[in-house]
Amino acid sequence: SMPFVEGEEWKKRRLLFTKVFNYQFLNAIFPRVIKTCEEIFGNLIPKGENKAKIEVLDVSQKFSSSIIMRSFFASNFHKQEIDGEPLIKVTIDLLKSISDQTASLAYLLLGTKFLSLGIRKKDREVNRNIKNFKNAVYKEVKRRIEELQSFI
């Protein structure tokens, strides 16, 4: 959501990210980063081959999405789905759509408000996907809070 906000709202969100991604948090997720690196980069070139065509954008999207998902959902992220699609695929597709959207001429000329109006079909689709993703994350947060409260 950071690419879609400006001004004071951007400052508030940036402050939140700064607080969340502190040394202790990053240190705690480091083992997940290592595991993700081993899984993703270890399978880039099939065994027995010296060269392979690597789609860097696809790999970097999969890597960053995996880190985010593992950080939030821990080991359950492989089981999560949105509309029958694996959460990791939905996340990668959403990140790519948002990246494409923010690199568009419409965004550069008209800004975030234009995209949020959903005038174009692809903007409506991205907005719908963002809403579905947010709802899934909120649902998971609520479930985790209830789970933690059951231990208290």
Side-chain angles (χ1 to χ4, degrees), residues 19-136:
K19 289 179 181 178
V20 171
F21 292 102
N22 59 49
Y23 174 78
Q24 290 83 8
F25 174 76
L26 294 174
N27 196 39
I29 68 166
F30 192 71
R32 293 182 194 143
V33 173
I34 297 296
K35 184 175 181 181
T36 302
C37 287
E38 290 170 348
E39 288 175 4
I40 293 174
F41 298 117
N43 295 322
L44 278 180
I45 300 175
K47 291 181 180 172
E49 290 187 29
N50 292 330
K51 296 180 182 178
K53 183 179 178 183
I54 298 172
E55 297 294 333
V56 175
L57 182 61
D58 292 342
V59 172
S60 63
Q61 288 173 339
K62 185 175 182 181
F63 177 73
S64 58
S65 299
S66 294
I67 295 297
I68 292 167
M69 294 299 105
R70 287 175 191 219
S71 299
F72 182 74
F73 293 105
S75 61
N76 293 336
F77 93 100
H78 287 294
K79 299 174 187 174
Q80 301 290 329
E81 291 186 350
I82 297 177
D83 296 333
E85 293 285 336
L87 182 60
I88 191 70
K89 181 183 182 319
V90 171
T91 305
I92 291 169
D93 291 346
L94 186 57
L95 288 172
K96 183 171 180 351
S97 297
I98 292 170
S99 176
D100 291 346
Q101 195 178 45
T102 56
S104 71
L105 185 60
Y107 175 78
L108 296 173
L109 295 175
L110 303 170
T112 58
K113 295 200 186 296
F114 173 77
L115 300 178
S116 66
L117 292 173
I119 294 171
R120 300 179 303 174
K121 182 181 177 182
K122 60 184 172 182
D123 295 334
R124 287 191 300 273
E125 185 177 317
V126 172
N127 294 341
R128 185 184 71 247
N129 291 341
I130 290 170
K131 181 179 177 184
N132 290 344
F133 185 81
K134 282 182 177 179
N135 288 339

